């Protein structure tokens, strides 16, 4: 294509979830409520774990990091999404779009591996309880979290650098509510072969490896639980893990639907619906799942509330 035959795009217009005028205001209030619950729930979880000494254990250390990741990921996506519901056009500059994609990628990849680390923690706690304090020491847990964020940064940096080399010269409308990889590749007039290969490779690694880690951990966990003689003991162990399984199933299921299929057979409208689950629904559900079904978190919450009442 000759250089004079096109104009280089310097910004994009996000089409959002829907362009139907009648749905804009109801969806705005719906997602504003979801965002408020997400921020309050995840920020509250981080603060509660930070200020509750009896929650200073590996399990809650990982949970506080998961809440931090969910809070950040939601805050990267939701403000621009809400803007689209109340404005005719949601314009995002090229630099803002690249920054949004980079941050989203960092936190999405980090969440994949954080969930795997949490599954491993539960495996050690249930299958090797006598070695738990040694295996999951503070130093080991800290290095695990550093490793999780490092993988997120490396993958996001690689994909974003490859994205920056592309030339965007087609229509500036992005058929999505945020700057994601696949809708951005559709707007490029450069060859996207390397980006597609890299994206599929990273997606396969960041979905398959954590999913297999989680699956193998829970196979051993379930086998160990079935050997517990008392019904009460089995019930308590299943209760501890069921909330994690629920969050993992929703998160990885929606991710796999979006990223582990060829772009030629994927529908962007279906992709938008799928991405709502892992970018919006899961970050909202995680603090609710882990708090409503967790006695330790409930006790810590009541202690904090009771302490404030006496102050």
């Amino acid at each position: 294509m000759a250089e004079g035959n096109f104009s280089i795009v310097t910004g994009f217009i996000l089409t959002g979830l829907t362009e139907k005028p009648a749905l804009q205001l109801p969806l705005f209030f719906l997602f504003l409520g979801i965002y408020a619950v997400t921020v309050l729930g995840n920020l509250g979880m981080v603060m509660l774990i930070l200020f509750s000494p009896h929650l200073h254990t590996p399990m809650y250390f990982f949970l506080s990091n998961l809440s931090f990741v969910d809070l950040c990921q939601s805050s990267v996506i939701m403000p621009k999404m809400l803007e689209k519901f109340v404005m005719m056009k949601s314009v995002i500059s090229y630099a803002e779009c690249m920054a949004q994609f980079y941050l989203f990628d960092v936190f999405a990849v980090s969440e994949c591996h954080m969930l795997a680390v949490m599954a491993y923690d539960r495996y050690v706690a249930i299958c090797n309880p006598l070695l738990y304090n040694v295996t999951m020491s503070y130093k080991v847990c800290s290095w695990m979290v550093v490793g999780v964020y490092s993988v997120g940064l490396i993958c996001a940096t690689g994909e974003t650098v490859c994205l920056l080399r592309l030339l965007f010269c087609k229509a500036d409308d992005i058929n999505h509510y945020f700057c994601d990889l696949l809708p951005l590749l559709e707007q490029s007039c450069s060859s996207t072969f390397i980006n597609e290969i890299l994206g599929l490779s990273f997606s396969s690694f960041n979905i398959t490896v954590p999913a297999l880690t989680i699956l193998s951990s829970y196979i051993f966990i379930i086998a160990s639980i079935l050997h517990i003689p008392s019904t009460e003991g089995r019930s308590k162990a299943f209760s501890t893990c069921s909330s994690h399984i629920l969050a993992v199933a929703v998160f990885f299921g929606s991710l796999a639907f979006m990223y582990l299929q060829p772009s030629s057979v994927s529908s962007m409208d279906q992709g938008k619906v799928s991405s709502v689950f892992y970018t919006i629904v899961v970050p909202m559900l995680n603090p609710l799942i882990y708090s409503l079904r967790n006695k330790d978190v409930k006790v810590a919450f009541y202690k904090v509330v009771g302490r404030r009442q006496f102050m």
Side-chain angles (χ1 to χ4, degrees):
M1 185 181 292
E3 189 173 344
N5 291 343
F6 59 83
S7 58
I8 298 174
V9 173
T10 58
F12 301 98
I13 298 173
L14 298 172
T15 61
L17 272 178
T18 179
E19 296 186 83
K20 296 180 180 179
L23 295 176
Q24 299 299 314
L25 199 57
L27 286 175
F28 170 76
F29 286 112
L30 172 64
F31 285 101
L32 181 62
I34 290 174
Y35 185 49
V37 172
T38 301
V39 171
L40 291 174
N42 285 292
L43 187 59
M45 185 69 76
V46 171
M47 300 302 290
L48 188 64
I49 293 171
L50 182 64
F51 292 109
S52 300
H54 76 283
L55 295 182
H56 291 177
T57 64
M59 175 180 170
Y60 295 106
F61 175 64
F62 295 134
L63 180 55
S64 64
N65 279 277
L66 180 67
S67 293
F68 171 75
V69 168
D70 283 335
L71 176 63
C72 292
Q73 179 176 292
S74 184
S75 297
V76 167
I77 302 296
M78 290 293 284
K80 212 65 185 173
M81 182 187 192
L82 293 172
E83 180 187 277
K84 176 62 180 71
F85 290 131
V86 295
M87 298 182 68
M88 292 292 292
K89 287 184 178 180
S90 179
V91 180
I92 185 169
S93 70
Y94 175 82
E96 289 174 330
C97 188
M98 294 300 109
Q100 186 187 55
F101 170 74
Y102 178 77
L103 292 173
F104 158 73
D105 207 6
V106 169
F107 295 120
V109 173
S110 297
E111 178 145 3
C112 291
H113 295 279
M114 193 69 71
L115 289 169
V117 166
M118 292 174 70
Y120 176 74
D121 171 70
R122 291 299 84 207
Y123 157 73
V124 177
I126 293 173
C127 299
N128 296 290
L130 297 179
L131 298 175
Y132 182 72
N133 291 332
V134 176
T135 306
M136 304 301 293
S137 65
Y138 177 76
K139 185 176 180 180
V140 171
C141 293
S142 298
W143 277 112
M144 282 184 169
V145 170
V146 169
V148 164
Y149 290 125
S150 297
V151 173
L153 288 168
I154 290 169
C155 290
T157 301
E159 288 196 294
T160 306
V161 167
C162 286
L163 200 58
L164 289 171
R165 73 178 183 83
L166 297 181
L167 202 60
F168 297 95
C169 55
K170 295 182 180 179
D172 56 359
D173 288 353
I174 294 181
N175 186 21
H176 216 308
Y177 56 88
F178 73 101
C179 291
D180 199 5
L181 180 64
L182 297 182
L184 279 171
L185 294 184
E186 287 186 350
Q187 305 305 111
S188 174
C189 55
S190 308
S191 172
T192 60
F193 177 75
I194 294 176
N195 300 78
E196 291 179 8
I197 293 298
L198 189 67
L200 184 60
S201 300
F202 280 164
S203 297
S204 300
F205 172 77
N206 292 316
I207 294 174
T208 305
V209 172
L212 289 176
T213 302
I214 293 167
L215 180 62
S216 57
S217 295
Y218 277 103
I219 288 174
F220 285 111
I221 286 171
I222 292 171
S224 181
I225 289 173
L226 293 176
H227 285 87
I228 297 176
S230 68
T231 305
E232 183 181 351
R234 287 197 299 270
S235 176
K236 185 178 179 181
F238 273 121
S239 177
T240 303
C241 300
S242 59
S243 57
H244 188 199
I245 294 172
L246 177 61
V248 164
V250 175
F251 182 73
F252 281 99
S254 56
L255 269 180
F257 180 84
M258 182 67 182
Y259 296 107
L260 294 187
Q261 59 178 326
S263 57
S264 58
V265 301
S266 63
S267 165
M268 196 51 62
D269 290 330
Q270 290 179 337
K272 283 195 287 187
V273 174
S274 174
S275 61
V276 165
F277 285 96
Y278 64 83
T279 61
I280 297 171
V281 175
V282 169
M284 178 192 68
L285 288 180
N286 277 342
L288 298 177
I289 290 171
Y290 286 107
S291 59
L292 295 177
R293 305 196 59 168
N294 193 298
K295 291 182 180 179
D296 292 335
V297 173
K298 289 181 183 178
V299 169
F301 176 75
Y302 291 137
K303 281 184 177 180
V304 170
V305 172
R307 194 183 307 156
R308 289 194 171 188
Q309 289 178 345
F310 286 104
M311 289 179 65

